[in-house]
Amino acid sequence: MIGFLLRALVVAFGLAVASRIIPGVSYSSTESLLWAAVLLGVANAIIRPILVVLTIPITILTLGLFLVVINGLMIELVAHFLDGFAVAGLGSAILASLVVSVVSWLVSWFVGPRGQVEIIVVRR
């Protein structure tokens, strides 16, 4: 449970960074940003796998680049259902998904799979 909450905080941070960089992404409050992160996690866990399976042919044709569009669609879906989080269009959502992915990737260097900060000690 702590791992999910930590990942939700990381995604919320990524969405906040995306709202600063990308003009079409905005949120009204920190609470709506946190709800957007939680809803995005739920959508990625339930709806995204179904879309990935249904779009295998186009994903193969585009050499996997269509998965970026699916990530943008997940952000669009969250913006559609959450009032305090807005995305101007699919282009903004795709760019936001790229920003969230990069931020999550950078943070994952420091956070382990169990949701804890990992420190490696090397003794000589």
Side-chain angles (χ1 to χ4, degrees):
M1 184 68 173
I2 286 197
F4 175 77
L5 293 176
L6 186 60
R7 281 188 283 280
L9 286 174
V10 169
V11 170
F13 178 67
L15 289 172
V17 170
S19 72
R20 296 279 185 181
I21 296 173
I22 302 164
V25 179
S26 64
Y27 62 94
S28 61
S29 66
T30 305
E31 181 182 357
S32 65
L33 186 67
L34 292 174
W35 277 113
V38 169
L39 284 177
L40 187 60
V42 170
N44 281 336
I46 297 171
I47 299 168
R48 186 177 184 274
I50 296 169
L51 284 177
V52 168
V53 169
L54 290 175
T55 60
I56 286 176
I58 194 167
T59 303
I60 291 171
L61 285 175
T62 61
L63 302 175
L65 290 177
F66 193 73
L67 294 174
V68 177
V69 174
I70 291 175
N71 290 341
L73 288 173
M74 293 298 100
I75 290 181
E76 280 264 347
L77 183 68
V78 168
H80 177 72
F81 284 112
L82 191 62
D83 288 333
F85 182 69
V87 178
L90 185 59
S92 297
I94 290 172
L95 290 175
S97 73
L98 291 173
V99 170
V100 170
S101 296
V102 168
V103 168
S104 297
W105 177 62
L106 289 174
V107 171
S108 71
W109 278 358
F110 302 105
V111 177
R114 291 178 296 195
Q116 299 173 351
V117 176
E118 293 183 356
I119 300 173
I120 299 173
V121 178
V122 179
R123 295 184 185 184
R124 296 177 189 230

